[in-house]
Amino acid sequence: MQTITTVAELRRTLAKAGSADQRVGFVPTMGYLHDGHLALIVASRAQCEVTVVSIFVNPTQFGPNEDLSTYPRDFLRDEKLCRDAGVAILFAPDAQEVYPTQFETFVEPGELAKPLCGAFRSGHFRGVATVVCKLFNMVQPDVVFFGQKDFQQCAVVRRMAIDLNLPIEVATVPTVREPDGLAMSSRNRYLSEEERRRALAISRGLFAAADAFRSGERNVEKLIAIAKGHLEAVDRLQYLELVDGDTLKTAESPLRCSAALCAAAYVGSTRLIDNVILDLPTP
């Protein structure tokens, strides 16, 4: 595995893959890797000859009162995990490499960025879309891999790739969970043992609604109520919404298309997100 820190070196190295007509897979991350990230790497290696992983804690997607300065970092551990997982290139630029002096051009996402997390994290998806677009241009992959846990992010990035004519396939990999159901996240390390137990309320609520859906429930309000009934253990429920899987607009009863039940909640001072996909049976 090569660890690369500059765009110039990255392009020189990847030019060899291009000349050999090798398929390039890309896994963009902010580091502090866990099994969810490793599942993305596995998916990339199964589909592509060359897998690139980036580690960059992107400052433009954090709000003024969010956890940029304390976001967990352990580069040496991440580097070893990537090497052991068979990554070909680990790209780890610094902030100056990504946002050079006098940088002023941003990607402004549209309607998909407004609901759910976008309603509470002003500018978040602007920062996400900008850094992802820049990374796409740096790596120029054939396929990029994201986790389903970041459902809205996947939708925003997929729309951006289509709208900007980026020749990249956006692949979504199912959420990887702890044995007890908690969605894996780098922020889980912030949770105390007691908070970790209470955080399980999020996945339990979503799973309960998914079970009701599989049993035939199609009323949006009832499905949300079922999930909400399990969420009293969290300290603050930021949102719990059932949205159209494509447009992210509020789903209507009775459900006639695939939908996503999405939640964001604070447990202690830690903000956690999760979702389940409610797929209608194929006729």
Side-chain angles (χ1 to χ4, degrees):
M1 184 182 80
Q2 291 179 261
T3 299
I4 295 174
T5 59
T6 69
V7 176
E9 185 183 359
L10 177 70
R11 286 179 172 164
R12 282 195 300 270
T13 303
L14 285 171
K16 300 172 185 176
S19 63
D21 201 27
Q22 292 179 314
R23 191 168 165 86
V24 175
F26 179 39
V27 179
T29 83
M30 294 206 299
Y32 211 76
L33 305 182
H34 50 67
D35 284 350
H37 298 110
L38 297 181
L40 303 180
I41 293 170
V42 168
S44 176
R45 293 197 65 211
Q47 298 183 37
C48 306
E49 287 82 16
V50 176
T51 291
V52 180
V53 172
S54 66
I55 293 178
F56 179 65
V57 181
N58 175 38
T60 66
Q61 69 188 69
F62 287 80
N65 298 314
E66 295 182 341
D67 58 343
L68 173 60
S69 63
T70 60
Y71 193 84
R73 295 165 171 87
D74 191 340
F75 183 75
L76 292 179
R77 171 182 169 275
D78 290 344
E79 192 174 37
K80 182 178 187 304
L81 286 171
C82 285
R83 184 178 294 110
D84 292 347
V87 171
I89 298 171
L90 176 59
F91 180 49
D94 63 17
Q96 181 64 27
E97 185 72 12
V98 178
Y99 297 111
T101 303
Q102 297 183 338
F103 179 87
E104 61 178 26
T105 304
F106 287 84
V107 176
E108 194 68 53
E111 293 301 311
L112 290 173
K114 293 180 179 179
L116 304 174
C117 290
F120 297 92
R121 302 185 69 187
S122 177
H124 170 69
F125 287 114
R126 178 178 187 253
V128 168
T130 300
V131 77
V132 168
C133 188
K134 285 177 67 66
L135 289 168
F136 284 0
N137 286 325
M138 294 172 187
V139 178
Q140 298 184 7
D142 297 288
V143 192
V144 62
F145 297 84
F146 289 95
Q148 181 195 307
K149 183 178 75 70
D150 298 301
F151 180 79
Q152 186 175 16
Q153 175 177 275
C154 293
V156 169
V157 170
R158 186 174 289 109
R159 186 73 255 166
M160 178 188 72
I162 294 169
D163 289 350
L164 300 185
N165 302 106
L166 302 177
I168 297 169
E169 176 188 345
V170 180
T172 302
V173 176
T175 301
V176 177
R177 299 182 179 276
E178 301 285 357
D180 57 11
L182 183 69
M184 287 192 175
S185 168
S186 299
R187 289 185 169 94
N188 289 349
R189 72 180 296 272
Y190 296 153
L191 300 169
S192 68
E193 288 186 21
E194 184 269 339
E195 289 170 343
R196 172 72 174 67
R197 287 192 295 272
R198 291 195 290 114
L200 293 176
I202 302 171
S203 56
R204 287 174 179 165
L206 296 178
F207 293 165
D211 286 342
F213 175 79
R214 283 190 290 269
S215 297
E217 182 60 70
R218 296 293 183 266
N219 182 277
V220 170
E221 291 74 19
K222 288 182 179 178
L223 289 167
I224 291 174
I226 289 168
K228 195 169 185 178
H230 292 261
L231 289 168
E232 293 180 357
V234 305
D235 291 298
R236 177 159 64 95
L237 180 62
Q238 192 172 70
Y239 67 75
L240 175 65
E241 296 187 37
L242 188 54
V243 298
D244 181 286
D246 295 321
T247 66
L248 304 191
K249 293 181 179 179
T250 301
E252 297 182 356
S253 296
L255 280 178
R256 292 192 176 90
C257 60
S258 295
L261 181 58
C262 304
Y266 282 87
V267 181
S269 60
T270 304
R271 183 180 184 272
L272 301 173
I273 62 172
D274 199 354
N275 65 79
V276 292
I277 308 300
L278 307 182
D279 278 326
L280 289 173
T282 303

